[in-house]
Amino acid sequence: MKLVLAFYGTRGDVEPGIAVGRELMRRGHDVLMAVPPDLIGSAQAVGLTAVAYGPDTQSWLENTRDFWGYFFRNFWRIRDVRKYLEESRSPGMRAWAPMTTTLASVAGGADLLVTGVSYEELVFDVAEYCDVPLATVIWYPMRVNGKLLPFLPEPVVRVAMKAGELLIWRGVKKEVGKARRELGLPPATGPVPGRIAARELLEIQAYDDALFPGLAEEWEQWGDQRPFVGTLTLELATEEDSDVMSWVADGTPPICFGFGSIPVESPADMIRMIAGACAQVGERALVCAGWTDFSDVPEFDHVKVVGAVNYATVFPACRAVVHHGGAGTTAAGLRAGVPTLVLYMADVQMIWGAAVKKLEVGASRRFSAATEKTLVKDLRTILAPQYRTRARELGARMIRPAESATTAAGLLEDFARREWVG
């Protein structure tokens, strides 16, 4: 079969697509990835063919960080927040038409088109235009449910999520309308989640249902349409792994810090905060740089700064993990059976922070509100024995990534073979 996988966003957004794409390729299918230009290498590294789809990810990451920092400090200033959001999203809106053209040029004749969370509306329209079945891969419960934010009453969460869908639709409606006119399609009837549900398209939930107790039961009405497969990740070894594990073995298990693709605004201040807090709790620190430049920061004997590492190798050797709350990083820490502190920078990351807090396997705090004092307090909380015990118990119940990829690939194959009615 010919399968086209269109995944846009940060490394965490794109890796689930690459992971399932690799498994589909292993099964003998013709797989083409459409990914941001600066992530083409990640797809090619596992043998996949890839085309550039949208602008470089790193061109808008700082804008995203700054918007969410502004939002959490000024959320009651609705007009100002809306203006800031429109400004931060304008590069993505400008990319809508060329991304539509790119995807339409490669999706024709495919047996299946698969997309992630970002630009769902765009990919839905291309699938309709090319008369190709569409499946989505989603790595947090973004469809309306009552379990997303466990600290709020379920009816309130459902109303808020429904309002969120309408707000997103309002923000992209103009671009969707233009794209559909250019593709010769009739006007869209509303938010894309409703259109996906109405067509009974496959919506793979690429996370463990154990992280959102009660969600599977709430979604029983959807039957096989929203299967839970666990986190899709590559778990690739890196050049740093051997050196890191040697350093770990030379002392006490460290606390691992990592902040993913979104660059930290002041790396030097961050290192000083980490070093000070870890000194107070008597722990070593391993800092994974991600896409932040830590080349010009103070050095401390009990702090080691590294580039990319394989979380599946490193996390199990750590006392705890502290990170931004990305879906893949959160799952890797929980699979390792170690407590988690989420210092979230954006909305979806806050959801994962709320989840680990509800499960009592970790704590959560807004990144911009973190200080050395709060970090000490949060570390002491998650280093308590009961957190480690609960984290181990949860980790033992989570789905392994190899099984996740196998299950997801099988679901996509079966869905592509179904008779498709456009």
Side-chain angles (χ1 to χ4, degrees):
M1 287 191 289
K2 177 184 175 182
L3 307 169
V4 177
L5 281 64
F7 283 72
Y8 188 81
T10 66
R11 175 61 186 259
D13 297 316
V14 174
E15 184 163 323
I18 297 175
V20 73
R22 179 178 64 174
E23 175 60 19
L24 289 165
M25 178 183 66
R26 189 190 68 78
R27 297 179 179 210
H29 299 297
D30 177 8
V31 180
L32 175 67
M33 300 294 307
V35 298
D38 48 358
L39 290 175
I40 285 180
S42 298
Q44 293 175 335
V46 298
L48 289 164
T49 301
V51 297
Y53 176 58
D56 282 343
T57 304
Q58 297 191 51
S59 66
W60 49 262
L61 282 175
E62 290 188 3
N63 287 341
T64 297
R65 178 198 66 201
D66 294 344
F67 166 74
W68 285 110
Y70 181 86
F71 173 83
F72 287 126
R73 294 191 305 269
N74 303 277
F75 60 86
W76 65 90
R77 298 178 177 174
I78 297 175
R79 289 185 179 179
D80 292 342
V81 168
R82 183 182 299 170
K83 181 180 178 181
Y84 205 137
L85 177 61
E86 290 174 354
E87 291 174 354
S88 66
R89 294 182 65 185
S90 60
M93 294 299 100
R94 290 196 297 270
W96 199 284
M99 289 173 71
T100 300
T101 300
T102 295
L103 191 57
S105 71
V106 298
D111 295 286
L112 181 65
L113 185 54
V114 186
T115 188
V117 172
S118 300
Y119 291 97
E120 260 192 316
E121 300 87 354
L122 185 157
V123 185
F124 182 96
D125 293 343
V126 171
E128 187 176 341
Y129 169 72
C130 294
D131 194 21
V132 173
L134 172 68
T136 59
V137 176
I138 300 170
W139 39 97
Y140 73 100
M142 65 181 292
R143 302 308 191 217
V144 173
N145 68 86
K147 312 297 182 182
L148 186 73
L149 295 172
F151 53 83
L152 292 175
E154 292 186 12
V156 173
V157 176
R158 293 188 190 99
V159 169
M161 292 190 74
K162 194 67 178 177
E165 285 185 354
L166 293 172
L167 186 62
I168 292 171
W169 171 238
R170 179 177 176 180
V172 301
K173 185 177 181 180
K174 181 178 179 181
E175 296 303 325
V176 168
K178 288 196 307 188
R180 290 182 68 86
R181 285 194 298 273
E182 291 177 6
L183 293 172
L185 299 173
T189 56
V192 76
R195 288 181 277 149
I196 286 174
R199 291 196 176 198
E200 299 183 355
L201 303 180
L202 179 64
E203 301 175 80
I204 290 176
Q205 307 300 307
Y207 54 92
D208 286 70
D209 61 342
L211 304 183
F212 297 91
L215 180 61
E217 290 76 14
E218 181 174 336
W219 279 352
E220 281 182 348
Q221 60 180 308
W222 299 104
D224 297 332
Q225 189 175 340
R226 294 182 182 174
F228 294 89
V229 304
T231 304
L232 293 166
T233 183
L234 295 168
E235 292 192 318
L236 298 178
T238 77
E239 296 179 354
E240 303 262 13
D241 292 345
S242 178
D243 176 61
V244 168
M245 294 307 292
S246 177
W247 177 81
V248 169
D250 284 342
T252 58
I255 298 172
C256 187
F257 294 80
F259 299 99
S261 301
I262 299 179
V264 174
E265 192 167 3
S266 177
D269 289 344
M270 173 56 60
I271 288 293
R272 279 190 284 265
M273 183 177 76
I274 290 172
C278 286
Q280 289 188 57
V281 297
E283 303 288 348
R284 297 195 298 164
L286 175 67
V287 180
C288 301
W291 284 7
T292 297
D293 183 4
F294 281 99
S295 60
D296 187 22
V297 298
E299 295 184 6
F300 300 89
D301 291 340
H302 63 299
V303 178
K304 181 177 179 65
V305 179
V306 298
V309 299
N310 183 0
Y311 290 158
T313 299
V314 173
F315 280 0
C318 296
R319 289 267 280 139
V321 293
V322 180
H323 55 76
H324 60 302
T329 309
T330 301
L334 296 178
R335 278 197 307 272
V338 296
T340 297
L341 169 60
V342 171
L343 298 179
Y344 60 86
M345 302 182 193
D347 55 343
V348 177
Q349 298 165 359
M350 180 182 70
I351 291 165
W352 288 110
V356 300
K357 189 173 181 180
K358 172 67 174 179
L359 293 165
E360 297 184 304
V361 294
S364 178
R365 187 180 298 275
R366 192 171 80 246
F367 179 85
S368 59
T371 64
E372 184 175 320
K373 182 178 180 180
T374 67
L375 185 55
V376 169
K377 177 183 176 182
D378 291 336
L379 290 178
R380 285 177 174 157
T381 295
I382 68 171
L383 291 172
Q386 63 268 29
Y387 279 82
R388 181 63 185 250
T389 299
R390 285 191 293 263
R392 269 203 209 100
E393 292 172 350
L394 177 61
R397 292 190 286 121
M398 291 183 67
I399 303 169
R400 302 297 106 179
E403 181 182 346
S404 299
T406 298
T407 303
L411 289 166
L412 291 170
E413 287 177 324
D414 292 344
F415 184 69
R417 293 185 181 115
R418 279 174 40 184
E419 183 177 354
W420 170 251
V421 180

